[in-house]
Amino acid sequence: MNRTIRTTEDVLALLDRLFPPAADRWTSDASAWWDGFYADRSAGRPFFVPKPDEHLVSYLDRGLVAPGGRALDLGCGPGRNALHLAALGFDVDAVDLSPAAVAWAEERAAASGLGPRFHCGNIFDVELPHARYDLVLDSGCLHHLPPHRRVGYLALLDRVLAPGGHFVLSTFAAGAMGSERPDEDLYRVGGLEGGLAYAPEELRALFADFEPVEIRPMAEQSPDSPLFGVPFLLTALFRRP
């Protein structure tokens, strides 16, 4: 059968298939690649440190984001931000594709005595215990999504972020790391080239339905800092009206 497109999801799945399997970092099939990424915990990857993002801590310290409430961590990895939020009294749900990442996060949670709930699965399909969250956090998920999956990403935010809630983001920064090809070129080259770079004006346009509170480069942190910060990421805080 050649005529299989009936729904929006059929269209999205077709666009997914325009990329070769080796380029996939966003569907459930990519969990094995991410398991390999997290397999060697001693690899020295910057994201492996048990430290929260400096911009997230800054927003909380300055009162831009109120402590407590419900928080959703998209692409949580080994759980460093989820654990920080739980320590501040947030009711935390955290999602990651990789069983290896989730297992590591659960080990860290058990060692700390904190209780965020970790969910292994695709952010678009995972079943969450709450319908709405006061804070949604993304530390490196968006830049691994192809252009057509931004549609579902925005729909996800619209569904789960409570009115007046905050969206915290870090993503590859244009001019520092990641592909800056136009969206249509990515389908011609057949990959995301390690992840997509975003400029501040692109984030403002993408999240035009939200109020931008702050957009800036992540502040680099020294190895002895209690916070995580690398200069190749762009950070943002948005508020839902």
Side-chain angles (χ1 to χ4, degrees):
M1 181 179 287
N2 297 321
R3 309 289 174 251
T4 59
I5 303 299
R6 294 184 62 250
T7 68
T8 300
E9 189 55 41
D10 290 337
V11 175
L12 295 174
L14 171 64
L15 292 170
D16 284 340
R17 293 194 297 274
L18 294 182
F19 296 97
D24 182 11
R25 301 288 184 272
W26 63 92
T27 74
S28 296
D29 292 337
S31 61
W33 189 93
W34 286 110
D35 280 349
F37 180 84
Y38 289 108
D40 183 1
R41 297 182 183 182
S42 64
R45 295 188 170 101
F47 309 103
F48 286 7
V49 296
K51 302 176 181 182
D53 287 339
E54 65 82 13
H55 63 293
L56 174 64
V57 173
S58 173
Y59 301 150
L60 290 159
D61 287 350
R62 288 184 284 155
L64 298 177
V65 175
R70 293 172 177 168
L72 175 62
D73 187 356
L74 303 174
C76 65
R80 54 193 180 80
N81 287 309
L83 290 168
H84 181 72
L85 292 171
L88 294 178
F90 282 91
D91 179 15
V92 182
D93 287 290
V95 183
D96 202 278
L97 269 179
S98 166
V102 170
W104 192 359
E106 288 176 336
E107 289 175 25
R108 284 178 168 177
S112 68
L114 298 170
R117 292 176 295 272
F118 293 101
H119 309 267
C120 188
N122 190 308
I123 63 170
F124 300 114
D125 303 325
V126 68
E127 293 187 11
L128 298 169
H130 302 301
R132 294 281 194 176
Y133 292 83
D134 305 291
L135 173 65
V136 176
L137 170 70
D138 175 349
S139 294
C141 183
L142 174 67
H143 58 224
H144 289 299
L145 298 180
H148 62 279
R149 285 293 175 180
R150 290 187 210 123
V151 177
Y153 188 91
L154 291 170
L156 173 65
L157 287 181
D158 184 62
R159 185 172 73 249
V160 302
L161 185 58
H166 288 90
F167 170 53
V168 174
L169 173 70
S170 64
T171 187
F172 289 156
M177 180 174 282
S179 176
E180 298 182 40
R181 290 182 185 270
D183 284 347
E184 59 268 25
D185 284 359
L186 298 168
Y187 297 90
R188 297 188 183 104
V189 301
L192 305 187
E193 300 180 317
L196 305 185
Y198 287 86
E201 60 270 19
E202 291 171 329
L203 293 184
R204 290 188 184 93
L206 179 59
F207 301 108
D209 292 336
F210 301 97
E211 172 193 345
V213 180
E214 182 175 279
I215 301 176
R216 62 168 175 82
M218 178 175 270
E220 186 171 10
Q221 301 295 303
S222 65
D224 59 349
S225 170
L227 308 178
F228 171 82
V230 289
F232 55 79
L233 294 179
L234 182 66
T235 70
L237 173 64
F238 292 91
R239 179 183 177 275
R240 182 172 189 174

